[in-house]
């Protein structure tokens, strides 16, 4: 299928426009149908993907403003392929499980436009196109939080927007400067990321540009101390907003580090290993402890989400195939597991209209199916072997052990602390007698909720037992990127730190 990436990007938006003429009573079915088609298209992309080629595939290149080198330039490799599939899957699952009835038509249209921006970010190979999709993704989420959120929804929405928007502006300045440097060196303007990869910049240039991109990506992750917007956003957002935010939007930041910062600024990336690892470890331990102190179940999951993003960050800066491949895989794991956990919190909130753990207790005897699925997702979150959560964390810790055994041990405490606060949540909410009369009549998962959650359970187990179909294409592209970074690095220190695998497969063309 020609132009599959363009279809993936714009099909949800076109369907969203047509949604304005759909009757509100049919809006949910319409949205689920569109999201299902989009997901099937992403699966077709996977089956058509050449796993032996680590370069960009399905490339589309159309000049838009030739004088300034701005092009409609799309492509996908092993790093971005599965993040796109996860984005389409979680959008579909989120719509299937959604319990919102107020202004449902507006919500469906908003989600379809949000899906367009998310897919656009992960396929864009022109920096301006990337930036446009990056910024446009803020608008639907701002509306979702502000229109359907809790009592402090306006404060949470504005804080989310201001934090991420200000970081993005600094990143834009960095992008414009890279294009300016490219013009000075080659005599032509270009915003193509693959053209920028060819630039060999002085280390001082790399450090300043790395800092500019770092602010944009770090706020999105979010890294400590830029994380304060996320608990508010999660706490006030409706369930569907938290699912999409945790599953996909946060991954834009970590994806940005892999797509931009590492291959464009290899020397600066090596110099940043220790400070970023230190920040990530603080982020892992501090937010895990804050999660343990929470009384609100949704806030526990929110702070847990930040802690797990710290694991992804140290893997990205391990500078070896195990660490970076593990991080990309952990992005998928985190998206599926945290998205499922937010959905599960939404299930109990719809029934009791509270998220306080003190209001529960003994739910396992009242809602056994709910308790089993919550338990599986909880165990995956803490990295239980044979679940998807184990694979990524294990690879990340193996990869970063080569960089710093001491820091790896500190990062590994996240597994212990995570088990403590997650099992505490489970104990308070699910075990013991049913002490609250309101909980005795709670209904277990209905058909809609079961159909939404069971596929995620199957994925958690499948990729925990047999991750190769997903991990192999990721690893192929990561090894190609590391080989390229090693060749491009200026300093010997950087060349020594960037570990190139002897089994690197064909990198393929990058243009």
């Amino acid at each position: 299928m020609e132009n599959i990436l363009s279809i993936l990007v714009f099909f949800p938006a076109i369907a969203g426009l047509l949604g304005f003429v759909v009757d509100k009573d049919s809006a949910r079915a319409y949205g689920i149908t569109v999201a299902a088609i989009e997901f099937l298209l992403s699966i077709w992309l996977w089956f058509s993907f050449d796993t032996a080629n680590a370069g960009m595939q399905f490339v589309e290149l159309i000049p838009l403003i030739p004088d300034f080198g701005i092009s409609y330039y799309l492509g996908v490799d092993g790093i971005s392929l599965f993040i796109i599939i996860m984005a389409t899957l979680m959008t579909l699952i989120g719509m299937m499980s959604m319990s919102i009835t107020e202004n449902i038509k507006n919500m469906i249209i908003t989600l379809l436009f949000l899906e367009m921006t998310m897919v656009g970010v992960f396929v864009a190979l022109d920096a301006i196109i990337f930036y446009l999709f990056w910024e446009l993704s803020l608008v639907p989420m701002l509306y979702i939080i502000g229109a359907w959120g809790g009592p402090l929804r306006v404060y949470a929405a504005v804080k989310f927007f201001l934090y991420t928007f200000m970081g993005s502006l600094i990143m834009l300045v960095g992008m414009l400067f890279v294009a300016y440097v490219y013009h000075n060196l080659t005599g032509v303007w270009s915003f193509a990321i693959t053209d920028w990869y060819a630039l060999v910049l002085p280390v001082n240039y790399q450090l300043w540009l790395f800092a500019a991109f770092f602010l944009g990506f770090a706020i999105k992750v979010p890294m400590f101390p830029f994380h304060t917007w996320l608990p508010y956003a999660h706490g006030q957002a409706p369930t569907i907003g938290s699912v999409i935010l945790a599953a996909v939007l946060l991954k834009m930041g970590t994806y940005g580090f892999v797509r931009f910062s590492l291959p464009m600024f290899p020397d600066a990336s090596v110099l940043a290993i220790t400070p970023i690892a230190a920040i990530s470890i603080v982020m892992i331990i501090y937010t895990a402890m804050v999660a343990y102190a929470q009384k609100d179940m949704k806030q526990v999951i929110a702070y847990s989400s930040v802690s797990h993003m710290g694991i992804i960050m140290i893997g990205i800066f391990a500078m070896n195939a195990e660490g970076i491949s593990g991080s990309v895989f952990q992005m998928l794991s985190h998206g599926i597991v945290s998205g499922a956990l937010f959905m599960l919190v939404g299930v109990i909130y719809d029934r009791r209209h509270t998220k306080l753990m003190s209001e529960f207790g003994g739910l396992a005897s009242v809602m056994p199916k709910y308790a089993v699925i919550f338990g599986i997702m909880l165990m995956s979150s803490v990295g239980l072997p044979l679940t998807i959560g184990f694979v990524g964390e294990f690879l990340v810790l193996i990869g970063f052990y080569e960089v710093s055994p001491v820091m790896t041990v500190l990062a590994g405490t996240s597994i212990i602390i995570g088990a403590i606060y997650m099992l505490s949540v489970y104990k308070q909410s699910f075990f013991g007698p049913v002490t609250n009369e309101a909980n005795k009549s709670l209904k277990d998962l209905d058909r809609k909720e079961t159909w939404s959650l069971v596929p995620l359970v199957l994925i958690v187990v499948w990729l925990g037992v047999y991750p190769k179909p997903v991990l192999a294409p990721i690893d192929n592209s990561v090894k190609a990127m590391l080989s390229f970074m090693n060749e491009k690095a200026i300093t010997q220190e950087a060349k020594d730190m960037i570990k190139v695998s002897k089994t690197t497969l064909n990198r393929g063309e990058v243009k």
Side-chain angles (χ1 to χ4, degrees), residues 17 34 78 98 102 188 199 203-204 273 291 364 369 372 415 428 442 466 489:
L17 290 173
V34 172
M98 190 165 55
E102 181 183 1
V188 295
L199 284 176
V203 175
N204 61 330
I273 289 174
K369 289 192 295 184
V372 168
I415 299 173
Q428 291 183 59
L442 291 177
Y466 187 61

Side-chain angles (χ1 to χ4, degrees), residues 179-359:
Y180 171 76
V181 171
Y182 187 87
H183 176 262
N184 281 354
L185 292 175
T186 65
V188 295
W189 289 96
S190 177
F191 284 88
I193 300 170
T194 49
D195 285 344
W196 289 1
Y197 286 172
L199 284 176
V200 179
L201 300 172
V203 175
N204 61 330
Y205 275 43
Q206 288 190 42
L207 287 170
W208 283 105
L209 288 168
F210 181 91
F213 282 83
F214 172 82
L215 281 173
F217 298 144
I219 292 172
K220 196 74 154 188
V221 169
M223 292 185 70
F224 177 89
F226 308 112
H227 68 285
T228 57
W229 64 267
L230 184 63
Y232 279 102
H234 274 313
Q236 298 303 311
T239 299
I240 182 66
S242 291
V243 169
I244 300 298
L245 181 61
V248 187
L249 291 188
L250 303 189
K251 308 310 176 296
M252 291 182 183
T254 48
Y255 171 80
F257 279 110
V258 177
R259 182 63 74 215
F260 285 85
S261 301
L262 296 190
M264 285 172 56
F265 318 120
D267 297 276
S269 296
V270 168
L271 292 173
I273 289 174
T274 300
I276 285 183
I279 293 171
S280 298
I281 289 169
V282 170
M283 173 179 165
I284 290 165
I285 298 174
Y286 168 69
T287 54
M289 290 181 172
V290 174
Y292 181 67
Q294 299 303 304
K295 300 182 184 301
D296 182 306
M297 191 186 294
K298 194 174 186 182
Q299 289 296 299
V300 174
I301 308 302
Y303 280 104
S304 169
S305 177
V306 178
S307 182
H308 283 88
M309 293 301 287
I311 292 288
I312 294 173
M313 285 303 304
I314 66 167
I316 289 172
F317 284 86
M319 297 297 165
N320 54 48
E322 293 83 4
I324 299 175
S325 296
S327 285
V328 177
F329 192 89
Q330 186 67 6
M331 293 182 208
L332 307 176
S333 168
H334 179 273
I336 291 166
V337 174
S338 63
L341 286 171
F342 278 117
M343 286 169 57
L344 288 161
V345 172
V347 167
I348 198 67
Y349 180 76
D350 289 339
R351 287 158 171 74
R352 284 293 323 278
H353 302 290
T354 181
K355 294 166 284 188
L356 295 176
M357 290 179 285
S358 59
E359 291 290 317

Side-chain angles (χ1 to χ4, degrees), residues 74-271:
L74 310 180
V76 65
D77 64 357
I79 295 169
S80 55
L81 171 65
F82 296 103
I83 305 178
I84 295 167
I85 295 171
M86 180 184 67
T88 61
L89 171 65
M90 295 310 295
T91 303
L92 171 61
I93 296 292
M95 284 190 186
M96 288 171 58
S97 65
M98 190 165 55
S99 60
I100 290 173
T101 56
E102 181 183 1
N103 295 325
I104 181 66
K105 181 176 174 178
N106 291 347
M107 172 61 86
I108 293 296
I109 293 171
T110 304
L111 287 171
L112 291 175
F113 277 100
L114 179 58
E115 185 171 27
M116 174 200 73
T117 63
M118 294 187 300
V119 175
V121 163
F122 298 122
V123 300
L125 295 179
D126 182 278
I128 296 299
I129 301 299
F130 173 88
Y131 183 79
L132 288 175
F133 284 124
W134 177 280
E135 292 292 57
L136 285 173
S137 69
L138 301 181
V139 180
M141 185 54 67
L142 176 74
Y143 181 49
I144 289 171
I145 298 173
W148 288 276
L152 298 176
R153 60 184 180 273
V154 174
Y155 174 78
V158 171
K159 189 170 186 177
F160 156 74
F161 184 85
L162 289 179
Y163 263 69
T164 50
F165 183 68
M166 292 305 295
S168 301
L169 287 179
I170 298 171
M171 180 177 70
L172 177 62
V173 173
M175 288 178 171
L176 295 175
F177 187 76
V178 173
Y180 171 76
V181 171
Y182 187 87
H183 176 262
N184 281 354
L185 292 175
T186 65
V188 295
W189 289 96
S190 177
F191 284 88
I193 300 170
T194 49
D195 285 344
W196 289 1
Y197 286 172
L199 284 176
V200 179
L201 300 172
V203 175
N204 61 330
Y205 275 43
Q206 288 190 42
L207 287 170
W208 283 105
L209 288 168
F210 181 91
F213 282 83
F214 172 82
L215 281 173
F217 298 144
I219 292 172
K220 196 74 154 188
V221 169
M223 292 185 70
F224 177 89
F226 308 112
H227 68 285
T228 57
W229 64 267
L230 184 63
Y232 279 102
H234 274 313
Q236 298 303 311
T239 299
I240 182 66
S242 291
V243 169
I244 300 298
L245 181 61
V248 187
L249 291 188
L250 303 189
K251 308 310 176 296
M252 291 182 183
T254 48
Y255 171 80
F257 279 110
V258 177
R259 182 63 74 215
F260 285 85
S261 301
L262 296 190
M264 285 172 56
F265 318 120
D267 297 276
S269 296
V270 168
L271 292 173

